[in-house]
Amino acid sequence: MTQNSQTLSERLATFVQGVRYADLPDYAVAKAKTCILDWVGVAMAASRDDVTRPLRAYVDAVGGAPDATLLGVGTRTSVTNAALYNGTVGHLLDFDDTNQIFIGHASAVIVPAIFALAEMTHATGKDIIAAYMVGSEVQWKLGEALVNAGDHYALGWHSTGTVGAFGAAAAAAWLLKLDHRQTTMAFGLVASEAGGFQEQFGTHAKPFHAGRSNEVGVRAALLAKAGLTSARTALDGKVGYFGLISNRYSADKIGNFGKPWGILESTFARGINLKAHPVCASGVGGIEGMQELIAEHGFSAADVESIRCGVRPGSLNILAHHQPQTGLQAKFSVEYWMAATLVYGKLGLEQITDEAVQNPAVQALIKKVQVDPDESIDVSKARVNISVQLKDGRSLQKTYYPAKGAADNPMNLEELTRKFGECLAWGGIGKAQILQAQNILLSLEREESIRGLMKHLVLAA
């Protein structure tokens, strides 16, 4: 069957069926391990957050076979529960990697699904890496079709929840060794559940979208394996998913898988971008831009008359909290980023708490920051143009792009492991466990099981 005669679900299934770990280039394996390491760190940093309480209550109420581990907790539950819980917690801090092809969070919507099924199926480290490559590549291709060449995100959908669910299903189908027909059915089943929209940003519902993507993907693959069917044309039929969630898309972008692999793209616009700060990626470079201005000109918050920031016009739908009062809201507030960087000198995990946001000095400075749409900035860069007016009459300007961690400004190994260690320590993990978990993740292809890793990702009682 040729690509042109296949439906989109079948085209995706053909790709999934053809991936083998042995065929992956070494540099792809290395990048996948980096992304998995980063996501684990971010998830563990969030494991003490209050949002884990309602999630735990739900998981306990629903119950299920003890097949997969809740990160940080150590107890075991069903694979769908674990995918939902770990996926939600792993995106809570908005410190996880992003991808501008689908304007979503690449690892948060596939690693939890992979980990849950890897425990149940006794998958090896090589299996985990290959499943990651499968899931991320499906995200890239759907992102190309729906977002990069379409209007899906512009309409207000949250692609982490929509596109992401198909990536989770692809990874799950690969791990469960579904055949071509079953994999096709899994993609159709996902189409009936995948969702999420941008109005939820700044609330717990946003990370819930990531959790749901993992849960939906795992469930679809399991149901397809058991024999549940869906429409082969669920994506591209007359009233299929693509047409319902977009006015414009390009189905011909779904092909040429792995040529090159999406996660190996080397620019912010097309590659996978890690974060040095736990906030939204839309304009995150503004934090480092402000830090550079302070270092170059030696001013403090007390010296500032006003600040103006130009951001990509489309980002204003996302960066919508102009007077944030909570840490969740502050993740989507350029005003807070500028004020907090001036008051605290940095913007890390300690600066994204409710207490830090409500600091009177920060709140007063927020009122001096104005954020404007800048037509000169496009989605490929998410640049920030900063202008600071000082009380002594000086006017300072800085254009900053790309942010640290972006594909074209990557973290080195020391920076990656420092972030990982700080995240696990924030979550309450001791130094010995941090080092052991880090070593396992950096040599994941040598592991025969994921169980050894999980025992190091449990908080002390």
Side-chain angles (χ1 to χ4, degrees), residues 95-368:
F95 206 2
D96 48 306
D97 60 47
T98 65
N99 167 246
Q100 295 302 305
I101 288 293
F102 75 103
I103 314 183
H105 293 261
S107 298
V109 286
I110 52 175
V111 178
I114 291 169
F115 276 16
L117 287 173
E119 287 195 82
M120 186 184 79
T121 63
H122 306 288
T124 67
K126 290 180 179 179
D127 293 333
I128 290 168
I129 293 168
Y132 181 92
M133 294 298 295
V134 167
S136 63
E137 188 69 2
V138 165
Q139 289 174 351
W140 251 262
K141 295 306 179 182
L142 294 186
E144 288 266 28
L146 286 166
V147 179
N148 198 47
D151 62 358
H152 175 62
Y153 196 87
L155 291 173
W157 293 98
H158 183 203
S159 305
T160 297
T162 53
V163 172
F166 291 91
W174 193 92
L175 280 174
L176 290 169
K177 297 179 173 58
L178 302 192
D179 62 27
H180 189 275
R181 181 177 182 279
Q182 291 170 329
T183 304
T184 300
M185 296 300 104
F187 285 126
L189 292 171
V190 167
S192 286
E193 288 205 84
F197 50 94
Q198 295 164 32
E199 189 66 25
Q200 301 281 23
F201 288 10
T203 74
H204 289 147
K206 181 179 187 282
F208 174 70
H209 293 166
R212 276 282 290 165
S213 292
N214 287 282
E215 178 192 25
V216 165
V218 169
R219 178 164 52 246
L222 288 169
L223 287 171
K225 183 175 184 177
L228 202 68
T229 66
S230 65
R232 293 168 52 251
T233 54
L235 298 186
D236 52 348
K238 183 177 180 181
V239 286
Y241 186 71
F242 275 26
L244 296 174
I245 62 170
S246 59
N247 294 324
R248 175 172 48 85
Y249 65 90
S250 180
D252 62 359
K253 298 292 184 182
I254 302 177
N256 294 318
F257 297 96
K259 299 178 181 179
W261 289 97
I263 69 167
L264 296 180
E265 295 274 9
S266 59
T267 64
F268 176 85
R270 298 192 58 84
I272 195 163
N273 304 298
L274 276 60
K275 292 183 181 180
H277 312 284
V279 298
C280 177
S282 296
V284 68
I287 298 166
E288 289 154 33
M290 178 58 77
Q291 288 174 326
E292 286 194 3
L293 274 176
I294 295 169
E296 291 168 4
H297 300 281
F299 62 94
S300 68
D303 301 317
V304 173
E305 183 70 35
S306 64
I307 301 171
R308 297 193 72 159
C309 294
V311 302
R312 181 179 68 87
S315 292
L316 291 177
N317 292 332
I318 308 167
L319 304 170
H321 293 279
H322 305 297
Q323 294 182 315
Q325 298 298 312
T326 68
L328 281 171
Q329 293 173 348
K331 293 176 180 295
F332 305 93
S333 173
V334 176
E335 292 88 347
Y336 177 75
W337 304 352
M338 298 297 97
T341 303
L342 268 163
V343 171
Y344 300 121
K346 61 180 180 177
L347 212 170
L349 292 167
E350 294 178 358
Q351 290 75 45
I352 210 70
T353 63
D354 291 355
E355 182 181 15
V357 175
Q358 293 163 10
N359 179 340
V362 173
Q363 287 292 318
L365 194 54
I366 284 173
K367 296 176 182 177
K368 296 184 178 183

Side-chain angles (χ1 to χ4, degrees), residues 406-423:
D408 34 11
N409 188 15
M411 298 179 184
N412 59 34
L413 182 59
E414 180 183 352
E415 291 167 330
L416 285 167
T417 54
R418 183 188 307 122
K419 176 185 174 182
F420 181 78
E422 290 174 352
C423 281

Side-chain angles (χ1 to χ4, degrees), residues 48-83:
R48 285 192 184 275
D49 194 279
D50 287 345
V51 76
T52 61
R53 296 175 185 173
L55 291 170
R56 284 282 305 279
Y58 169 79
V59 168
D60 290 344
V62 174
D67 288 325
T69 302
L70 300 182
L71 293 182
V73 182
T75 57
R76 297 170 66 76
T77 185
S78 71
V79 288
T80 50
N81 279 345

Side-chain angles (χ1 to χ4, degrees), residues 1 6 9-19 180 183-184:
M1 183 180 288
Q6 290 182 316
S9 292
E10 290 171 330
R11 200 180 302 175
L12 292 169
T14 297
F15 160 67
V16 173
Q17 292 290 297
V19 174
H180 189 275
T183 304
T184 300

